[in-house]
Amino acid sequence: MRKVLIIGIGAGDPEHVTVQAVNAMNAVDVFLVLDKGDTTADLTEARRAICERFATSRPFRTVVIADPPRDRTAPDYEGAVRDWRDERARMIEEALLAEAEDGVVGILAWGDPALYDGTIRILDTIAARGNVAVDYEVIPGITSVQALTARHRIMLNRVAGPVHITTGRRLAAGWPDGCDDVVVMLDADLACRAYRDEDVDIYWGAYLGTPDELLVAGRLGKVIDEIDAVRREARARKGWIMDTYLLRRV
């Protein structure tokens, strides 16, 4: 039986790491890290720094796994994501068999493992295959949504109002019914620009909780071009971008 701890480490600021997460890290013998290569090397370095800062009570090993590529242009988007996640599951399963026969395994997840992170599904896939017995726990973390609202000093919800969390792909298909406050994640193309002529405010943030943090807020029609320019420059400079925004009908 492999014991795995899926540990949420927050949006980027090491101070986001909770006491529960610190205690979990100090119970880990082997950390498994999915590495996307040179483009996002600073993310791998951030994980390493968090481990060195907080996992101080016992020796640990780090096993780096090359993250398989994902076809982002496939017509069957959901099928491509499933294939990519299945390949991730296969590689993590191999690492569990080869590197973690004894002891506790830790996998660090950005933000919270329950919000737009595939680690829980990967462990469920591995358990269902039956090649290796797995028991896992999930340690929650601060999400980019919480970091976004804190940095803009706003409430996520309005009085007695609902909040809808979705993706850029879903927003491009239409504004969610019955909700005036919409959080958008995983938006590669700024789908919100379709609503620039409506009475909508935007609170946007990228690299939240890191030294590279970027923030823009205002009426969508007035700031969308600024956001687009800032976003393009940041992506060109760093090679990747992680951003989140809240749209609020006025």
Side-chain angles (χ1 to χ4, degrees), residues 12-35:
D13 187 341
E15 299 294 328
H16 290 171
V17 177
T18 67
V19 173
Q20 186 183 17
V22 171
N23 290 337
M25 281 189 274
N26 278 285
V28 169
D29 299 290
V30 181
F31 287 96
L32 300 184
V33 176
L34 285 165
D35 182 14

Side-chain angles (χ1 to χ4, degrees), residues 41-190:
D42 47 348
L43 295 178
T44 301
E45 173 60 22
R47 285 189 174 95
R48 184 198 63 77
I50 285 173
C51 287
E52 290 189 353
R53 176 171 176 176
F54 295 113
T56 57
S57 68
R58 61 196 295 175
F60 63 84
R61 293 187 296 116
T62 300
V63 175
V64 178
I65 303 168
D67 201 9
R70 175 156 67 101
D71 184 359
R72 298 179 182 274
T73 62
D76 182 7
Y77 174 80
E78 293 185 2
V81 171
R82 284 194 300 272
D83 291 344
W84 172 63
R85 187 176 293 131
D86 286 347
E87 181 63 11
R88 276 182 148 195
R90 184 190 66 78
M91 298 175 77
I92 290 177
E93 180 181 89
E94 289 182 354
L96 290 174
L97 288 168
E99 303 286 352
E101 185 173 354
D102 298 310
V104 176
V105 175
I107 300 176
L108 304 184
W110 291 111
D112 183 277
L115 184 63
Y116 290 115
D117 180 87
T119 310
I120 293 174
R121 290 191 182 94
I122 287 172
L123 267 293
D124 284 341
T125 298
I126 292 171
R129 285 176 175 171
N131 296 325
V132 54
V134 174
D135 178 32
Y136 69 86
E137 294 181 20
V138 178
I139 290 81
I142 292 174
T143 68
S144 61
V145 180
Q146 294 162 286
L148 177 76
T149 55
R151 293 295 290 127
H152 282 291
R153 300 184 297 178
I154 57 172
M155 295 287 293
L156 177 60
N157 65 290
R158 286 183 276 191
V159 177
V163 176
H164 190 103
I165 301 177
T166 190
T167 65
R169 181 178 291 268
R170 295 287 186 181
L171 182 68
W175 188 285
D177 292 334
C179 191
D180 290 331
D181 295 285
V182 179
V183 174
V184 183
M185 307 176 72
L186 305 176
D187 186 358
D189 301 309
L190 285 180

